[in-house]
Amino acid sequence: MAKKLSNKILKELHLRMVRIRRFEEEAGKMMENGKIPGALHLYVGQEAIASGVMQHLSELDQITSTHRGHGHLIAKGGEFSRMFAELYGKATGYCRGKGGSMHISNMDLGMLGANGIVGGGPPIAMGAAFSNKFRKTKQVAVAFFGDGASNEGSFHEAANMAALFKLPCVFVCENNGYGEYTPQANHQAVVDVADRAAGYGMPGVVVDGMDVIAVYEAAEEAIKRARAGDGPTLLECKTYRFYDHVGVRGMGLTYRTDEELEEWKKRDAIKGFEERLLQIGTLTQKAIDAVYANTNAEIEEAIQFAEDSPFPHPDELLEDVYSVRSEV
Amino acid sequence: MSEAKEQKPRKLPYVAAITEGVRQVLIEQENAFVAGEDVGQAGSVFGYYQGLFDEFGKDRIIDTPISEKGIIGLGVGASATGCRPILDLMFMDFIGECMDEIANQMAKMRFMFGGAATLPVTVLTMAGAGINLAAQHSQSLEAWLAHLPGVKVVMPSNAYDAKGLIIAAARDDNPVFVVLNKMSLALQAEVPEEMYEVPIGKAEIVREGKDMTILAIGRMVHEALAAVEPLKELGVDAEVIDVRSIQPFDTDTAIESLRKTHRGLIVHEAVRFGGFGGEIAAQLQELAFDYLDAPIARVGAPFSPVPFSPALEKVYLPNAEAIVAEVRKTLGI
């Protein structure tokens, strides 16, 4: 650890990661046993990124997420119960059952949506950052996106405009090595997405996305810079998807080796971090066990809440398409 | 004497009515701003932001890069977080550059979030052929937008409506596209100086008649009005309705007129096949079938990109003669 972080922060980082991991593991099971309809893109393996970045954000700060968005919402303060309810398509979900996994969001938490469109988030985050600057608030907007999205024109336009307007924006690239089922080497000639930052006139930083402290420290600098009015940063976090593109085992496509997966699992962000916390005495094994036990209890309760919740009434279908007019 | 002078109605060209509408919105709404290509000191390639940069400054009249995805994305993110952006999509043809941001983000965000997001964003964009700008700067693509639940679409045919619809759009809490027409920029109309709204979702009967309802969209209103006299000579007293609002469409006004005239024709500049006229025709036959004395007729551009050559563009564009010809064909006169 480059500098001494307080036990409070270390414990919070750990808690955020465990909450994401356990939520995703259970969500994956619920999808595979047919309880959750549709498709889930799970964040298992990438927890250090959302956790390390969100540690610096308040509810006032905004984020845009990806199709793999549960982890971002959890790290931003999302409640398990309303999240599971949304995944179940229930009326009590964050989006009243209208968004589901791919559009899960909560405006009150500054979570401007998971997004079913690869590259959908960065222009929206840039717009939120523009709004923050226009309204002269000190809010920061963070766009999470993948290596795949870094090839979309929308990312390019958002990055250029954020740098041009010196917006309070951070672009966090979660490079998990695959754009869906296509390895990075087959979809872009650069090795480090962060190299592209130079083309926009912003700093580009590469960080180990399996190391929550490294992410935390790099994000701290980028967010400070954004908040100070010095413009955006492109922060690339190298990571890996432990589950498949969709679901847990996915569609059974052959595109990566078991050996590769096992190699990355040795670098599991949570396991490694727990070993360090035990070593330096921040947490005891008993305390770690308690974190899991509490999280599991909360998940159990949340799933029960989702199962007990009603589905939306058919009359609700046509609600929320438009906003009913209000006088300015 | 001086009183009489003051009462004389003021006339403004369409272009100046746009400017005045935007200006009054910027004064009224402190979180409103204009963002788009060449909108700043240049004042837009169509001239309708002239003077606004000097009056409101660079923080509220914002030149963007040529980045339509970025412009619409900026509007989505900013409107969802407390601003009321007025975006400028210079030519409607450029919509292809940002259709994801429009169709998948702007239009759907509120619904996908279960009503938690509100996007008070206005997009001004310029449509229409007639000045030899060829296939990529002349289209009328309103049907693309009207098909998207979550956005509203209006098409002012005159200066009065341009100002009133811009103000209504800016006060609306939804994404509203104001589809302007480049051939109409110099058209004069009486435009009150005060702020007023033309309601979104309301058509206007611009000429009453008893034999045939002509539902005209955008600039075609003027062609429909030009067809009134020749139609009269053929014994057809036409009622002309300016549709004004595509989404929502004012079904009631159209049906009420059709119940009186028993005959209907729709005219728009967009390509006829798959154009918005098809939707109107379907609604009319669904809701007023028993009143109809003739098939619903449609006039629109042929199934072709907009041609460059003046000789071809003239043939391409629907006009009063085409309306008269279609009426004759439909009624067998």
Side-chain angles (χ1 to χ4, degrees):
Chain A
M1 290 174 210
K3 63 179 176 185
K4 188 98 177 96
L5 295 178
S6 71
N7 281 347
K8 180 172 172 285
I9 289 173
L10 295 172
K11 284 178 188 172
E12 281 178 12
L13 289 170
H14 176 250
L15 178 62
R16 276 179 215 263
M17 289 199 291
V18 171
R19 285 175 66 80
I20 297 171
R21 172 72 54 93
R22 290 297 302 122
F23 181 95
E24 293 292 66
E25 285 172 344
E26 292 308 310
K29 280 183 210 159
M30 292 296 164
M31 177 190 164
E32 297 217 325
N33 70 19
K35 292 255 188 187
I36 290 175
L40 299 186
H41 304 90
L42 299 162
Y43 198 67
V44 174
Q46 305 183 197
E47 296 89 346
I49 304 166
S51 303
V53 173
M54 243 64 87
Q55 189 70 31
H56 301 289
L57 301 182
S58 84
E59 288 180 2
L60 294 174
D61 297 311
Q62 306 102 343
I63 60 167
T64 60
S65 175
T66 69
H67 53 290
R68 206 173 300 290
H70 309 162
H72 302 124
L73 180 52
I74 293 168
K76 199 82 171 55
E79 288 172 30
F80 285 170
S81 54
R82 299 199 60 198
M83 289 185 69
F84 267 116
E86 188 59 34
L87 301 190
Y88 271 71
K90 296 296 182 80
T92 52
Y94 269 129
C95 307
R96 304 173 65 199
K98 289 179 173 171
S101 167
M102 262 189 284
H103 309 295
I104 202 159
S105 60
N106 185 257
M107 297 299 287
D108 295 335
L109 294 171
M111 162 46 163
L112 274 52
N115 212 306
I117 304 297
V118 171
I124 298 171
M126 180 273 290
F130 182 93
S131 166
N132 298 341
K133 188 175 179 183
F134 183 86
R135 293 178 296 116
K136 298 186 169 61
T137 68
K138 283 285 169 195
Q139 293 158 278
V140 169
V142 177
F144 291 92
F145 61 102
D147 48 305
S150 76
N151 297 330
E152 289 277 11
S154 55
F155 164 68
H156 168 69
E157 293 190 13
N160 179 54
M161 285 170 74
L164 174 71
F165 296 143
K166 268 197 163 183
L167 299 182
C169 198
V170 179
F171 295 93
V172 178
C173 178
E174 304 184 319
N175 182 352
N176 64 16
Y178 291 86
E180 289 207 4
Y181 298 100
T182 302
Q184 191 197 356
N186 290 1
H187 75 63
Q188 55 193 185
V190 291
V191 173
D192 294 330
V193 174
D195 285 352
R196 293 185 171 174
Y200 304 113
M202 68 171 85
V205 180
V206 180
V207 66
D208 179 0
M210 307 306 274
D211 179 349
V212 70
I213 299 295
V215 174
Y216 173 87
E217 288 176 347
E220 181 172 33
E221 201 171 323
I223 291 164
K224 255 189 197 158
R225 188 170 179 273
R227 227 184 277 285
D230 295 330
T233 300
L234 172 53
L235 179 60
E236 178 187 7
C237 307
K238 306 278 194 189
T239 187
Y240 200 80
R241 195 172 72 196
F242 288 178
Y243 287 179
D244 213 273
H245 168 60
V246 180
V248 180
R249 291 163 309 198
M251 293 156 54
L253 303 178
T254 308
Y255 67 101
R256 64 181 189 186
T257 63
D258 293 341
E259 292 73 29
E260 182 184 283
L261 176 60
E262 290 313 314
E263 275 309 303
W264 276 92
K265 278 189 172 173
K266 286 180 194 159
R267 299 179 50 204
D268 184 329
I270 299 178
K271 217 189 288 169
F273 192 52
E274 285 173 351
E275 281 162 14
R276 286 159 82 176
L277 294 183
L278 285 169
Q279 232 170 43
I280 59 172
T282 306
L283 285 174
T284 60
Q285 188 56 50
K286 204 174 147 194
I288 290 174
D289 292 345
V291 167
Y292 282 88
N294 291 340
T295 304
N296 292 344
E298 204 180 320
I299 286 171
E300 205 174 309
E301 217 172 285
I303 289 172
Q304 196 60 51
F305 172 82
E307 295 199 346
D308 293 346
S309 288
F311 279 108
H313 189 276
D315 290 350
E316 290 172 39
L317 174 63
L318 295 182
E319 290 174 8
D320 309 321
V321 179
Y322 289 97
S323 164
V324 180
R325 175 173 181 166
S326 65
E327 293 298 326
V328 178
Chain B
M1 284 291 281
S2 67
E3 266 179 29
K5 214 174 188 179
E6 276 170 23
Q7 280 166 7
K8 196 180 165 198
R10 182 188 61 149
K11 284 203 163 190
L12 275 188
Y14 192 91
V15 62
I18 298 169
T19 317
E20 190 166 279
V22 173
R23 178 175 177 271
Q24 291 180 345
V25 167
L26 290 170
I27 291 167
E28 179 184 79
Q29 302 175 0
E30 60 176 12
N31 281 349
F33 60 82
V34 175
E37 296 154 11
D38 302 333
V39 302
Q41 195 71 68
S44 129
V45 297
F46 303 106
Y48 53 69
Y49 300 124
Q50 292 291 338
L52 299 187
F53 185 82
D54 290 337
E55 183 174 356
F56 296 99
K58 64 175 170 45
D59 292 339
R60 295 190 74 195
I61 310 293
I62 298 128
D63 268 329
T64 66
I66 303 174
S67 299
E68 288 80 9
K69 298 173 215 358
I71 294 167
I72 301 294
L74 188 158
V76 173
S79 65
T81 56
C83 292
R84 303 186 74 89
I86 298 172
L87 308 176
D88 194 84
L89 187 58
M90 188 189 288
F91 284 87
M92 189 175 207
D93 314 71
F94 303 167
I95 200 169
E97 285 283 353
C98 50
M99 207 49 171
D100 178 67
E101 283 65 31
I102 293 169
N104 283 320
Q105 316 297 341
M106 179 188 274
K108 295 177 174 57
M109 195 177 196
R110 179 178 181 79
F111 182 85
M112 295 189 300
F113 292 10
T118 303
L119 280 74
V121 53
T122 299
V123 185
L124 302 189
T125 188
M126 190 60 75
I131 54 172
N132 317 122
L133 292 179
Q136 297 171 342
H137 290 74
S138 303
Q139 297 169 88
S140 295
L141 300 172
E142 66 276 5
W144 289 19
L145 295 170
H147 192 60
L148 295 171
V151 300
K152 298 183 180 182
V153 189
V154 297
M155 292 183 76
S157 69
N158 61 73
Y160 179 90
D161 287 351
K163 177 177 167 182
L165 284 169
I166 285 170
I167 291 167
R171 287 176 174 171
D172 199 288
D173 276 344
N174 295 285
V176 183
F177 282 78
V178 182
V179 181
L180 304 164
N181 182 272
K182 57 178 83 73
M183 285 277 279
S184 307
L185 288 168
L187 275 184
Q188 304 257 342
E190 285 176 22
V191 177
E193 283 180 40
E194 69 267 19
M195 233 178 155
Y196 63 90
E197 288 183 37
V198 167
I200 295 169
K202 279 277 171 215
E204 188 192 19
I205 300 170
V206 290
R207 199 256 174 197
E208 287 194 27
K210 56 180 177 30
D211 298 327
M212 180 144 211
T213 300
I214 300 180
L215 289 144
I217 296 177
R219 191 177 71 78
M220 289 299 113
V221 170
H222 306 290
E223 296 296 332
L225 288 170
V228 165
E229 273 309 310
L231 286 173
K232 213 178 196 175
E233 283 166 23
L234 293 168
V236 178
D237 182 21
E239 174 145 305
V240 179
I241 295 179
D242 184 341
V243 172
R244 291 203 299 207
S245 180
I246 303 293
Q247 184 58 261
F249 171 66
D250 184 359
T251 305
D252 292 347
T253 297
I255 296 296
E256 202 179 316
S257 173
L258 203 72
R259 285 178 173 174
K260 180 174 74 177
T261 64
H262 305 286
R263 297 168 194 88
L265 178 143
I266 302 134
V267 54
H268 54 56
E269 192 183 314
V271 169
R272 201 177 94 120
F273 187 102
F276 193 71
E279 170 64 29
I280 299 178
Q283 289 197 18
L284 297 183
Q285 66 84 17
E286 282 164 2
L287 298 167
F289 184 75
D290 291 340
Y291 292 86
L292 290 179
D293 286 346
I296 302 291
R298 287 184 295 151
V299 175
F303 199 62
S304 146
V306 181
F308 162 65
S309 168
L312 294 175
E313 193 179 35
K314 215 174 96 188
V315 179
Y316 175 89
L317 270 175
N319 57 17
E321 289 75 48
I323 294 168
V324 173
E326 192 66 25
V327 170
R328 294 186 67 166
K329 197 176 93 185
T330 305
L331 303 186
I333 54 175

